[in-house]
Amino acid sequence: MSVPASFYLTLSAVLFTIGAIGLLVRRNVLVMFMCVELMLNAANLAFVTFARELNDVAGQAAVFFVLVVAAAEVVVGLGIIVAIFRRRVGATADDIHVLKG
Amino acid sequence: MHGALAGGLLATATVPDALTFAVAAIISVVGALGVVLSRNPVHSALMLIMTLFGVAVLFVEEDAQFLAAVQVIVYAGAIVVLFLFVIMLLGVDRNESIAAEPMPAQRWLAVALGVLGLAEVILLARGKWPTGAHTVAGPLHGTGQANVAVLGRSVFTSYLLPFEITSALLVIAVIGAVVLARRPRGSGEDVDPSIGPRVDSGEIVAGGGGSAGRGGAGAGAGSAGAGSAGAVSPEQSIQAERAAGELVTAGEPFGAVLKEAEGVSIVQRRES
């Protein structure tokens, strides 16, 4: 028998919590972005777990689309970060509180 | 508690499965903690790779072989490399003091909020899940086909419209990245072609791999123009970079900043 789903879901919750706390605590924009990736991965793990548990392909298809959206999100997000850093060197998330054009 | 956890794991799963799960879970959690706690963004990115590999192992363990491969190729191979590129390009690969926190209450609030959410989710994971009717996507096991075949059939039939929309999303993302990363024309930000790449070895050592971004590049160009390779001490270079950074944050146009940065570094060299 394989490992029960509750273990996977608990691990997924732990990973998601670590990512959420990191997103709230860290001030480096790039590290915050990595924490978002961490949370996405935790959600993917839960999707795959439910796909196995309920014997349904939809969970794995959802992970497939999450991966694509995450890739697009990283491209645009890093583009924004590069644009911000070009204006002011060494910016943290607290320095970008005024978002006027 | 650890004994009970291991006992519960071994009571329901075979030893290889339980061992694989335990090792991959520990790798994932250690990597996730490393992402949050590393002072250097490069270390954070490497720790993220560790977590992604751990999750990929768990995907294999859960019969999602295709997603495990995609996880390694796309995430660890493309996304994290993109992160590392941006870290190196922007020169933010310096250590950041985690202890310095302008809002101390925020940190504890964040941890308390996170632990509260974690407790709730774990409580939910232990009980029965609300599960409705099955989707139209079909079963995962028992079809006699490989994982890739089942997933591919589902994506190209039941989920064809989302798949097509995904292609539009990727095109939009590429166009958006180009628009964001492009320098506005005629803003004085264009790189002077006569400056050329940084060849000053002393400056590279002192600058810590292009830290302070364009300001550092400006200082490097200044020293190359003066023809005094390696004559700048690290302290002076860092001071010049700091001055350049302050000028940038003061919101001046970039052409002026570059000239100022060169001026500062040259003045400091003359003083010595």
Side-chain angles (χ1 to χ4, degrees):
Chain A
M1 260 189 78
S2 53
V3 179
S6 59
F7 281 87
Y8 284 100
L9 293 178
T10 308
L11 175 67
S12 161
V14 169
L15 286 179
F16 190 90
T17 308
I18 293 173
I21 291 177
L23 184 68
L24 291 172
V25 164
R26 291 302 295 265
R27 283 160 58 235
N28 189 326
V29 193
L30 281 160
V31 178
M32 288 170 75
F33 212 41
M34 288 180 212
C35 289
V36 172
E37 298 302 315
L38 217 56
M39 291 160 74
L40 281 172
N41 252 277
N44 280 351
L45 188 59
F47 265 127
V48 171
T49 304
F50 277 117
R52 186 196 64 166
E53 199 63 20
L54 303 177
N55 194 13
D56 201 327
V57 196
Q60 294 199 5
V63 174
F64 180 78
F65 290 117
V66 168
L67 278 169
V68 176
V69 174
E73 172 225 338
V74 164
V75 167
V76 175
L78 288 179
I80 292 173
I81 289 176
V82 168
I84 289 171
F85 270 84
R86 193 180 286 156
R87 287 215 151 269
R88 32 175 72 197
V89 177
T92 64
D94 295 338
D95 301 332
I96 325 172
H97 60 286
V98 185
L99 279 177
K100 51 186 177 186
Chain B
M1 187 209 164
H2 295 284
L5 204 65
L9 197 58
L10 283 174
T12 49
T14 57
V15 175
D17 278 343
L19 208 63
T20 312
F21 174 81
V23 171
I26 289 169
I27 286 176
S28 310
V29 172
V30 168
L33 287 175
V35 171
V36 177
L37 297 178
S38 290
R39 294 172 62 210
N40 193 326
V42 177
H43 296 169
S44 285
L46 295 178
M47 286 295 188
L48 184 62
I49 292 184
M50 191 167 147
T51 303
L52 298 175
F53 267 101
V55 174
V57 170
L58 292 176
F59 280 0
V60 174
E61 180 74 14
E62 292 199 280
D63 292 332
Q65 290 89 1
F66 174 72
L67 292 176
V70 170
Q71 170 99 348
V72 171
I73 294 169
V74 173
Y75 256 117
I79 291 183
V80 178
V81 170
L82 205 60
F83 267 111
L84 287 172
F85 253 110
V86 171
I87 290 171
M88 298 299 181
L89 187 72
L90 296 176
V92 289
D93 53 339
R94 277 175 297 187
N95 285 342
E96 169 196 4
S97 80
I98 296 184
E101 173 63 61
M103 291 180 284
Q106 184 200 15
R107 177 166 291 180
W108 296 112
L109 205 63
V111 173
L113 217 64
V115 170
L116 205 69
L118 178 67
E120 185 185 351
V121 176
I122 288 180
L123 213 66
L124 286 177
R126 286 177 165 276
K128 294 280 179 195
W129 314 302
T131 55
H134 277 249
T135 60
V136 294
L140 184 63
H141 306 297
T143 53
Q145 285 178 316
N147 173 247
V148 187
V150 174
L151 186 57
R153 189 178 301 278
S154 172
V155 166
F156 287 114
T157 54
S158 311
Y159 294 98
L160 187 61
L161 182 63
F163 182 75
E164 299 286 351
I165 294 172
T166 301
S167 63
L169 177 77
L170 284 175
V171 171
I172 293 168
V174 168
I175 294 173
V178 169
V179 169
L180 283 169
R182 197 176 52 117
R183 292 199 176 86
R185 206 171 280 172
S187 66
E189 279 192 37
D190 296 332
V191 179
D192 188 359
S194 66
I195 293 176
R198 298 166 58 191
V199 290
D200 190 346
S201 59
E203 192 63 39
I204 288 171
V205 171
S211 41
R214 301 275 308 270
S223 63
S228 59
V232 192
S233 72
E235 292 84 359
Q236 285 172 348
S237 163
I238 289 169
Q239 279 175 358
E241 281 181 4
R242 277 200 192 128
E246 283 166 12
L247 284 167
V248 173
T249 47
E252 294 193 12
F254 229 114
V257 169
L258 272 180
K259 289 193 182 69
E260 286 289 329
E262 291 173 26
V264 167
S265 64
I266 289 168
V267 164
Q268 285 184 343
R269 200 171 305 118
R270 280 178 188 157
E271 279 173 359
S272 65

